[in-house]
Amino acid sequence: MFAEERLDAIRHQLQREGKVIAATLAKDFGVSEDTIRRDLRDLAKDGICRKVYGGAVVNAPDQGSIGDRVGHEASAKARLAAQAVKLISAGQTVFIDSGSTNLAIAAALPRDLAITVATNAPSVVSVIEGNSNVTIIVLGGTYNHDKGACLGATTLAQVEMINADLCFLGVCGLHPDVGITAFDDGEAEIKRAMVRKSRKLVVAAMSDKIPTIAPFQVSRPQSLDHLVVRRDTDLEALEPFVELGTSIHYAD
């Protein structure tokens, strides 16, 4: 096998499985681990993956600020949102985290459903403020323009005062071995608190985030109760979550 063919094969495996192990690749291709490590360095330089001890993992897609993301695949996110809100029952207290898909979830909340929503995202507040059946708890703190969210010690303290039934969490990366990850450590801290203070965790994710990994850990994969995805999401990528006990919901 030529070097370029080997690189293509590694790319495909990364896309399919979200990670590769250097020793396994060396055995499969009949080359040394040093050769595989050079291959992984080349792929990392191209932004395909991130080298870790013993191999490499797929980088989560960084789609920019919240302003950049809101209009990206808006119709697909709206379909995810329509499916996600079916998990809410009347009388529940719900965290809605920041993020473009979660903003779509806020917009999809049924007008006749009496619930309490706690959010650190001012854009979520602006979407649901006209819904008289929703009691809104605004989680304050220092506003981060890129994330579209309030972060920091004040936000964290207010999250800790709430016991929620559901948490709709925005994710940067989602991997069956690693779990939920984020690009920003301050954002990850707030997400961890929301997960910890919620009875059930819901993630609505676009296909390009599964399976990928961002730098900062939010929660282990076992914490994910419900995963809402598009119907074209790779079944092989979803199977490990099913084995962990996650309920998979497909958007119409």
Side-chain angles (χ1 to χ4, degrees), residues 21-33 36:
I21 298 172
T24 302
L25 291 175
K27 182 179 179 181
D28 290 345
F29 295 130
V31 297
S32 69
E33 288 191 40
I36 295 298

Side-chain angles (χ1 to χ4, degrees), residues 66-148:
I66 184 66
D68 297 328
R69 289 181 277 125
V70 166
H72 181 66
E73 297 202 67
S75 61
K77 291 174 183 177
R79 290 193 294 274
L80 289 178
Q83 184 65 39
V85 297
K86 294 178 182 179
L87 296 168
I88 307 173
S89 299
Q92 289 187 322
T93 296
V94 178
F95 280 125
I96 300 183
D97 184 25
S98 61
S100 57
T101 303
N102 282 347
L103 187 59
I105 288 172
L109 290 174
R111 305 288 293 185
D112 60 348
L113 196 63
I115 60 172
T116 297
V117 171
T119 182
N120 63 331
S123 57
V124 168
V125 176
S126 68
V127 166
I128 61 177
E129 64 178 350
N131 188 338
S132 59
N133 279 320
V134 176
T135 299
I136 305 171
I137 300 174
V138 183
L139 304 171
T142 302
Y143 182 69
N144 183 300
H145 290 272
D146 285 341
K147 304 300 180 184

Side-chain angles (χ1 to χ4, degrees), residues 82-235:
Q83 184 65 39
V85 297
K86 294 178 182 179
L87 296 168
I88 307 173
S89 299
Q92 289 187 322
T93 296
V94 178
F95 280 125
I96 300 183
D97 184 25
S98 61
S100 57
T101 303
N102 282 347
L103 187 59
I105 288 172
L109 290 174
R111 305 288 293 185
D112 60 348
L113 196 63
I115 60 172
T116 297
V117 171
T119 182
N120 63 331
S123 57
V124 168
V125 176
S126 68
V127 166
I128 61 177
E129 64 178 350
N131 188 338
S132 59
N133 279 320
V134 176
T135 299
I136 305 171
I137 300 174
V138 183
L139 304 171
T142 302
Y143 182 69
N144 183 300
H145 290 272
D146 285 341
K147 304 300 180 184
C150 293
L151 307 175
T154 299
T155 315
L156 183 62
Q158 293 179 4
V159 171
E160 293 288 354
M161 296 174 65
I162 297 169
N163 294 310
D165 297 289
L166 289 178
C167 174
F168 291 94
L169 196 73
V171 303
C172 300
L174 181 58
H175 196 285
D177 293 335
V178 177
I180 297 168
T181 51
F183 284 115
D184 181 87
D185 58 343
E187 187 179 30
E189 180 181 41
I190 301 303
K191 292 178 186 293
R192 283 194 293 270
M194 287 183 173
V195 172
R196 186 169 62 252
K197 296 294 292 182
S198 301
R199 190 169 58 86
K200 296 288 184 179
L201 174 59
V202 184
V203 167
M206 299 292 283
S207 305
D208 60 351
K209 294 185 178 180
I210 309 170
T212 65
I213 300 172
F216 297 97
Q217 188 73 33
V218 173
S219 72
R220 302 299 298 171
Q222 292 84 354
S223 66
L224 182 57
D225 297 290
H226 300 278
L227 177 57
V228 185
V229 295
R230 293 167 52 165
R231 289 198 175 275
D232 62 357
T233 304
D234 185 357
L235 292 177

